[in-house]
């Protein structure tokens, strides 16, 4: 079986839990972070969110012959 592919992706996390989508660039995650912090401040909450990285692992199975 082929080796899994590993990729680092970015997200916004709160208390060890990802609360935004996983994105491929830090810049996109920073935009999400600013948006979430702004929304939290508007709701009179202390923005306790941070940027985080996650290791995304993709594994493909072995090829299976197709019969017609």
């Amino acid at each position: 079986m082929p080796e899994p592919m590993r990729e680092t992706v970015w997200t916004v996390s709160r208390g060890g839990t990802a609360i935004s989508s996983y994105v491929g660039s830090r810049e996109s995650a920073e935009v999400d972070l600013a948006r979430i912090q702004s929304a939290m401040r508007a709701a009179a909450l202390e923005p306790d969110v941070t940027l985080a990285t996650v290791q995304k692992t993709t594994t493909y199975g072995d090829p299976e012959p197709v019969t017609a």
Side-chain angles (χ1 to χ4, degrees), residues 47-59:
D48 58 347
V49 292
T50 59
L51 282 179
T53 58
V54 177
Q55 288 297 311
K56 174 181 165 184
T57 305
T58 305
T59 305

Side-chain angles (χ1 to χ4, degrees), residues 11-20 22 48-50 52 54:
T11 188
V12 177
S13 69
R14 183 178 190 207
T17 302
I19 62 169
S20 71
Y22 298 113
D48 58 347
V49 292
T50 59
V54 177

Side-chain angles (χ1 to χ4, degrees), residues 14-56:
R14 183 178 190 207
T17 302
I19 62 169
S20 71
S21 298
Y22 298 113
V23 293
S25 72
R26 180 180 179 136
E27 292 78 17
S28 294
E30 287 173 342
V31 169
D32 289 342
L33 176 65
R35 180 182 48 81
I36 291 168
Q37 287 176 330
S38 178
M40 291 179 80
R41 284 188 187 101
L45 298 172
E46 181 63 33
D48 58 347
V49 292
T50 59
L51 282 179
T53 58
V54 177
Q55 288 297 311
K56 174 181 165 184

